[in-house]
């Protein structure tokens, strides 16, 4: 059993999948009404027909002698003027009608010409000006960070060895088949070139269960990779590939990072299909204590930039294009949004350098024991209540000793299996975090005072011992 094994990983429920938008149903039984005006109606010729004059042909009366006393016959009025006036009025009417028809025809033609012209109109595009890569202060823009840093970012594919399971009369056996199958994916940063190799910085939880790895560069070139080592306490891991001349990332002093600083995240959310995707945001907070997979807290940078599965191990960049953190985790729950965390670059680089150098993190202290949490026992509540009566209130973080290593400072203290550590340096273990915090701040050779509880004859006895811490080598 690994020391300080803890199964309470930092996880949260996945957000519900968004429902796909419903496609609107096609419109049925729709009646369309069409109408048009015929602008090319035939022009008929108008003719004026004057009324025909009726001639009266009457027989002359029998000849009679003229009556010289009768009044003279009245003079007939000429019809020529009347006919001329009628013809003139008709001409005016026809001319006005012609003008109206001509205007209507011209308007229809104009509309047709305009419609014809509109259908041939095309929007012209102009060449876009170059996107600025720096601002007035000399810092890189987001586009500038992408151009500067993207070739230093890689995708990681993880494979594990497949196994066969056989069942013989209810008895199962598991045998390795020797075949490696894809089991996960993550992101990484090209951090160092040395001795003909390039080293890739990533998260421990990305590579810790793998047996084979491939690294994909931004140009899609793929390399087989070897594991150098990983550290679950800081969640930092290192791979190496046999390649040189690649774009090595530049790292910044993460202690100079400030709240409100703009940052850029580059990684592979969802795997290699989204190789080196970018998101941008701001530093929300600093030194947030985030629990690792084995129960240790690492002080992380909190950001609001988008982080998704597959981003783990990718780079968190400042606006000078420098790595200030390694993206590690996020709170993934429906009631949370924009809460991601990155291991500071100072912690990541120090851990990685030690892993490359000696295969473990140098200078880290440990007790030299394996243990189980008190909560894993069926009578845990009764024991915690009994410890409370002895003055160790709410000792839910009590550590039940399982084994003591030969190099441990407790090896010659007379301790036994099932003895319980209930306090360190006088502080009750209300949580295992109290012990891990003390060890994280200590160095090999430091001494801590432990309070031990032992159950004997159905009674709990307590006593104190001093333990000199030894170096943890993985």
């Amino acid at each position: 059993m690994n020391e300080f094994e803890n199964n309470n990983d930092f996880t949260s429920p996945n957000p519900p999948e968004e429902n796909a938008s419903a496609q609107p149903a096609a419109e049925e039984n729709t009646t369309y009404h069409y109408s048009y005006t015929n602008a090319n109606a035939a022009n008929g010729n108008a003719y004026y027909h004057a009324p025909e004059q009726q001639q009266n042909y009457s027989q002359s009366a029998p000849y009679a002698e003229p009556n010289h006393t009768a009044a003279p016959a009245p003079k007939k009025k000429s019809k020529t003027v009347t006919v001329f006036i009628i013809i003139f009025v008709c001409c005016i009417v026809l001319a006005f009608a012609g003008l109206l028809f001509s205007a209507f025809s011209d308007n229809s033609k104009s509309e047709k010409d305009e419609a014809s012209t509109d259908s041939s109109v095309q929007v012209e595009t102009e060449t876009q000006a170059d996107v600025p890569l720096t601002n007035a202060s000399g810092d890189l823009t987001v586009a500038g960070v992408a151009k500067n840093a993207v070739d230093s970012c890689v995708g990681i594919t993880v494979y594990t060895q497949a196994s066969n399971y056989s069942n013989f009369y209810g008895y199962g056996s598991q045998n390795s088949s020797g075949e490696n199958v894809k089991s996960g994916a993550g992101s990484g940063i090209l951090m160092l070139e040395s001795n003909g190799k390039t080293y890739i910085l990533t998260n421990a939880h990305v590579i810790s269960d793998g047996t084979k790895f491939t690294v994909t560069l931004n140009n899609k070139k793929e390399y087989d990779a070897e594991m150098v080592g990983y550290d679950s306490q800081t969640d930092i891991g290192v791979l190496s590939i046999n390649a040189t001349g690649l774009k090595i990332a530049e790292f910044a002093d993460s202690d100079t990072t400030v709240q409100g600083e703009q940052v850029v995240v580059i990684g592979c959310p969802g795997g290699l299909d989204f190789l080196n995707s970018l998101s941008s945001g701001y530093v929300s907070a600093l030194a947030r204590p985030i629990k690792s997979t084995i129960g240790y807290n690492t002080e992380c940078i909190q950001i609001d930039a988008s982080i998704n599965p597959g981003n783990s191990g990718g780079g968190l960049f400042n606006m000078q294009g420098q790595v200030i953190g390694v993206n590690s985790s996020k709170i993934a729950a429906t009631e949370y949004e924009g809460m991601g965390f990155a291991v500071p670059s100072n912690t990541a680089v120090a851990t990685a350098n030690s892993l490359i150098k000696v295969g473990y993190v140098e200078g880290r202290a440990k007790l030299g024991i394996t243990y189980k949490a008190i909560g894993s026992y069926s009578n845990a509540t009764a024991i915690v209540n009994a410890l409370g009566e002895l003055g160790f209130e709410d000792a839910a973080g009590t550590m039940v000793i399982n084994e003591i290593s030969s190099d441990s400072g407790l090896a010659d203290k007379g301790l036994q299996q099932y003895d319980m550590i209930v306090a360190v340096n006088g502080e009750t273990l209300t949580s295992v975090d109290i012990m891990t915090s003390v060890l994280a701040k200590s160095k090999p050779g430091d001494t801590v005072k432990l309070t031990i509880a032992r159950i004997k004859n159905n009674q709990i006895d307590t006593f104190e011992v001093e333990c000199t811490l030894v170096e943890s080598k993985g």
Side-chain angles (χ1 to χ4, degrees):
M1 177 182 300
N2 292 329
E3 183 180 3
F4 305 123
E5 179 180 2
N6 191 313
N7 292 325
N8 292 325
D9 294 354
F10 180 79
T11 57
S12 300
N14 289 323
E17 295 182 357
E18 296 182 1
N19 293 328
S21 300
Q23 190 74 13
E27 217 175 313
E28 297 180 356
N29 302 323
T30 301
T31 303
Y32 297 94
H33 300 277
Y34 297 89
S35 63
Y36 69 94
T37 302
N38 185 358
N40 298 316
N43 296 330
N45 292 326
Y47 296 95
Y48 173 76
H49 298 279
E52 297 180 6
Q53 297 185 23
Q54 184 178 356
Q55 296 183 356
N56 296 323
Y57 297 96
S58 57
Q59 269 187 329
S60 298
Y63 176 77
E65 289 288 335
N67 187 358
H68 296 284
T69 60
K75 189 176 180 178
K76 289 185 180 180
K77 188 174 181 180
S78 175
K79 295 182 179 179
T80 303
V81 175
T82 302
V83 171
F84 177 79
I85 291 172
I86 293 173
I87 292 173
F88 179 76
V89 170
C90 289
C91 289
I92 291 175
V93 171
L94 289 174
F96 183 75
L99 289 173
L100 289 177
F101 180 80
S102 176
F104 177 79
S105 298
D106 290 343
N107 185 54
S108 298
K109 182 180 179 181
S110 175
E111 290 179 356
K112 288 181 179 180
D113 291 342
E114 183 178 354
S116 176
T117 301
D118 287 346
S119 65
S120 63
V121 169
Q122 295 182 358
V123 177
E124 295 183 358
T125 59
E126 296 182 0
T127 302
Q128 178 179 313
D130 291 340
V131 175
L133 302 181
T134 58
N135 59 24
S137 302
D139 290 339
L140 295 174
T141 61
V142 173
V145 172
K147 183 175 182 180
N148 182 74
V150 71
D151 287 335
S152 301
C153 301
V154 301
I156 297 174
T157 305
V158 182
Y159 300 84
T160 54
Q161 199 169 64
S163 59
N164 296 324
Y165 184 85
S166 60
N167 190 0
F168 181 74
Y169 292 102
Y171 294 92
S173 63
Q174 190 167 342
N175 300 306
S176 174
S177 66
E179 181 183 359
N180 288 302
V181 296
K182 182 178 177 181
S183 59
S187 306
I189 309 162
L190 300 177
M191 67 163 291
L192 175 67
E193 180 183 311
S194 178
N195 299 323
K197 294 183 177 182
T198 296
Y199 293 90
I200 295 95
L201 181 64
T202 186
N203 283 145
H205 76 261
V206 171
I207 64 174
S208 59
D209 294 328
T211 55
K212 180 185 175 183
F213 313 92
T214 58
V215 168
T216 304
L217 304 183
N218 188 52
N219 62 9
K220 306 299 177 63
K221 190 171 182 178
E222 188 176 281
Y223 292 89
D224 288 332
E226 294 182 357
M227 181 189 289
V228 175
Y230 64 89
D231 176 55
S232 296
Q233 182 169 323
T234 56
D235 197 22
I236 292 298
V238 179
L239 299 175
S240 69
I241 58 176
N242 293 320
T244 58
L246 305 180
K247 177 68 181 298
I248 303 301
E250 182 180 349
F251 289 78
D253 179 2
S254 56
D255 288 343
T256 62
T257 303
V258 298
Q259 188 178 29
E261 181 177 349
Q262 187 174 10
V263 290
V264 171
V265 168
I266 301 178
C268 308
L272 295 184
D273 288 343
F274 302 97
L275 177 70
N276 288 348
S277 298
L278 178 149
S279 62
S280 179
Y282 296 89
V283 174
S284 302
L286 300 169
R288 291 296 199 206
I290 302 301
K291 190 185 298 294
S292 68
T293 57
I294 60 171
Y296 283 87
N297 286 337
T298 298
E299 293 185 345
C300 291
I301 300 170
Q302 181 185 333
I303 58 175
D304 68 350
S306 177
I307 293 180
N308 293 287
N311 275 120
S312 293
L316 176 66
F317 295 87
N318 62 17
M319 301 315 291
Q320 287 75 48
Q322 302 166 319
V323 179
I324 61 171
V326 178
N327 303 313
S328 177
S329 60
K330 66 176 289 187
I331 294 180
T334 55
E335 63 268 28
Y336 292 95
E337 184 176 351
M339 292 186 69
F341 301 93
V343 179
S345 58
N346 287 2
T347 301
V349 169
T351 301
N353 283 339
S354 187
L355 290 172
I356 294 170
K357 180 181 177 182
V358 297
Y360 62 91
V361 180
E362 294 180 294
R364 182 173 291 165
K366 69 173 183 177
L367 290 173
I369 66 169
T370 60
Y371 78 98
K372 287 186 178 180
I374 186 65
S376 63
Y377 292 90
S378 59
N379 57 344
T381 301
I383 293 173
V384 170
N385 290 338
L387 290 172
E389 294 177 0
L390 296 174
F392 303 99
E393 189 68 28
D394 191 23
T398 293
M399 302 162 61
V400 181
I401 296 174
N402 186 43
E403 292 181 352
I404 301 174
S405 63
S406 59
D407 64 340
S408 171
L410 297 175
D412 58 353
K413 301 295 182 178
L415 298 185
Q416 305 170 4
Q417 187 181 24
Y418 305 123
D419 282 349
M420 299 174 287
I421 303 174
V422 297
V424 57
N425 294 335
E427 184 176 3
T428 299
L429 297 184
T430 56
S431 168
V432 177
D433 292 347
I434 293 173
M435 178 64 79
T436 56
S437 179
V438 169
L439 295 177
K441 296 175 182 178
S442 302
K443 300 184 296 295
D446 290 349
T447 299
V448 294
K449 184 172 64 175
L450 305 178
T451 302
I452 307 297
R454 178 180 294 169
I455 300 176
K456 186 176 181 180
N457 297 327
N458 214 25
Q459 297 289 324
I460 296 180
D461 296 327
T462 61
F463 55 95
E464 293 182 349
V465 297
E466 288 189 350
C467 176
T468 301
L469 301 178
V470 294
E471 186 175 33
S472 173
K473 297 184 179 180

